[in-house]
Amino acid sequence: MKTLTIAATFCVVAASAAVADTPARVLTQILPTAKQYPNEAAAIATLNENGFKVQYNSYEGLGLSTADGLRLVSDNAFNITSVQIGTAARDDAFFEGLDLIGVSPDMESLRTAVDAYRDVFDARLRERFGATVLALWPFGPQIFYCNAEIGTIEDLAGLKIRSFTPSMSALLESFGATPVTLNFGEVYPALQRGVTDCGVTSPTSGNSGAWPEVTTHQLPLSVSGSVQGIFANLGWWESLTEEERTTISDAYAKLEDQQWVLASEINDDAVACNTGQESCAEGTPFDMTLVEISDDDRTAVSDAATTVVLPDWISRCEATYPGCTKIWNDTVGAARGFTASAP
């Protein structure tokens, strides 16, 4: 019998016997309170049941920063690492092209963008960081939690707002807000103490993280999907047998599909729970004020994506990866109807 070793905050999962144990060090962002956790726990259990001795730890449990995710997998400190794509963009702007703020505002359009970009994303990841993609999936629509009275997106002007990607910061600045870069776990106390006025995350993450306890207004205007990447160190990956790689690929492909379904199905309920509606079924009920989204709000975000977000991203991407504009235009741009122009 093999054991799945998990950080102190994680539960222990029993695994069945297999022919041989192959060690696998896995680092995750997902906490047990998250709706996405059971799917990842099931994937890890599958690996253990098929001959892997998995050491499964969280960034939070080890006191690590998610900003270091790419370097941790590149150095093979962990064989498999979960990375927030917007955070990874600080190491290489090209990766953020997958989920630029305002370009893919719903889960259907986002999946189209992700599918279009996956191959070029993986090629860059292999070349730049010696890693390969196992899964790409979103937490869900990224919306606004504010401890301030807002009625439209224009009311964000003058507010301090949590941001976690460079393109999100560019969008917020275009609306007159001040972006404050924070990891998810830092946001609740920042909102509580007035370090920030608003935070951006998915309805489910905000609900499970109790953000409505320290915010009053919910603007459910999606600006991105917070895509997560699960990457394997390439050297470690190539050291495995074909059968082992197939086992891992299948487990994470199933996880990816499950997380996309989850992102598409549970967020309306979370908004209902955050705002105290009777239809709340799965989340914790709160009593935030629900701000109605206007067509002008949607147009403002779409316009900012073209006039602010894309030019900002192109300048950063071309500086380290000349020619990335054409790659993006041929993939995400073509799939989503955007055309970026290099400066």
Side-chain angles (χ1 to χ4, degrees):
M1 182 76 69
K2 297 185 297 301
T3 300
L4 171 60
T5 303
I6 305 182
T9 56
F10 287 72
C11 62
V12 176
V13 180
S16 60
V19 175
D21 287 340
T22 299
R25 300 183 304 277
V26 179
L27 182 66
T28 184
Q29 299 179 73
I30 301 179
L31 298 177
T33 54
K35 294 286 188 181
Q36 296 81 6
Y37 176 77
N39 292 335
E40 186 165 75
I44 298 301
T46 295
L47 298 188
N48 277 273
E49 291 162 3
N50 285 275
F52 292 90
K53 187 176 182 180
V54 180
Q55 293 179 331
Y56 182 55
N57 295 282
S58 71
Y59 286 90
E60 186 171 271
L62 297 180
L64 297 173
S65 171
T66 56
D68 294 327
L70 275 178
R71 290 181 286 278
L72 290 167
V73 72
S74 179
D75 294 341
N76 208 26
F78 294 89
N79 307 128
I80 298 174
T81 303
S82 171
V83 178
Q84 204 286 321
I85 300 303
T87 302
R90 292 181 172 84
D91 288 323
D92 192 322
F94 180 76
F95 297 130
E96 195 179 5
L98 190 76
D99 186 21
L100 288 171
I101 303 301
V103 170
S104 306
D106 58 71
M107 294 302 99
E108 182 179 357
S109 62
L110 180 61
R111 186 141 204 189
T112 299
V114 169
D115 288 345
Y117 209 56
R118 185 186 299 265
D119 288 345
V120 296
F121 185 104
D122 186 65
R124 180 64 172 170
L125 185 66
R126 285 170 175 257
E127 173 192 2
R128 182 79 167 78
F129 290 96
T132 188
V133 172
L134 296 179
L136 295 167
W137 56 269
F139 266 110
Q142 301 299 289
I143 65 174
F144 295 87
Y145 291 72
C146 288
N147 193 15
E149 188 171 344
I150 60 171
T152 72
I153 200 165
E154 293 181 354
D155 293 330
L156 300 180
L159 300 181
K160 301 184 294 294
I161 303 176
R162 179 256 181 157
S163 173
F164 55 90
T165 76
S167 67
M168 185 179 294
S169 295
L171 177 83
L172 294 174
E173 288 174 343
S174 75
F175 290 128
T178 300
V180 181
T181 302
L182 296 169
N183 287 329
F184 182 85
E186 300 172 313
V187 180
Y188 183 102
L191 289 165
Q192 189 176 42
R193 297 168 188 164
V195 175
T196 60
D197 302 300
C198 304
V200 179
T201 194
S202 70
T204 53
S205 295
N207 186 272
S208 63
W211 286 19
E213 291 180 351
V214 289
T215 53
T216 59
H217 286 66
Q218 179 100 95
L219 175 60
L221 177 64
S222 175
V223 294
S224 73
S226 185
V227 175
Q228 312 296 300
I230 299 179
F231 306 146
N233 176 272
L234 193 56
W236 175 79
W237 180 252
E238 292 177 343
S239 74
L240 302 177
T241 67
E242 183 176 352
E243 182 180 1
E244 288 172 329
R245 289 196 296 269
T246 298
T247 296
I248 295 172
S249 295
D250 289 349
Y252 280 106
K254 181 178 180 180
L255 166 68
E256 177 176 311
D257 287 341
Q258 290 172 328
Q259 303 294 48
W260 276 99
V261 170
L262 198 64
S264 299
E265 292 184 349
I266 63 175
N267 287 286
D268 287 347
D269 179 71
V271 170
C273 293
N274 290 339
T275 56
Q277 299 178 45
E278 291 184 3
S279 60
C280 172
E282 299 293 332
T284 302
F286 294 100
D287 61 353
M288 297 182 73
T289 298
L290 179 63
V291 179
E292 184 176 352
I293 304 170
S294 69
D295 290 339
D296 287 344
D297 288 337
R298 293 189 179 92
T299 299
V301 170
S302 180
D303 288 347
T306 299
T307 61
V308 177
V309 172
L310 275 174
D312 171 77
W313 176 74
I314 289 167
S315 66
R316 291 183 286 109
C317 189
E318 288 285 342
T320 56
Y321 190 10
C324 66
T325 303
K326 183 180 186 310
I327 295 173
W328 190 88
N329 282 334
D330 290 344
T331 55
V332 176
R336 292 290 305 121
F338 284 84
T339 300
S341 298

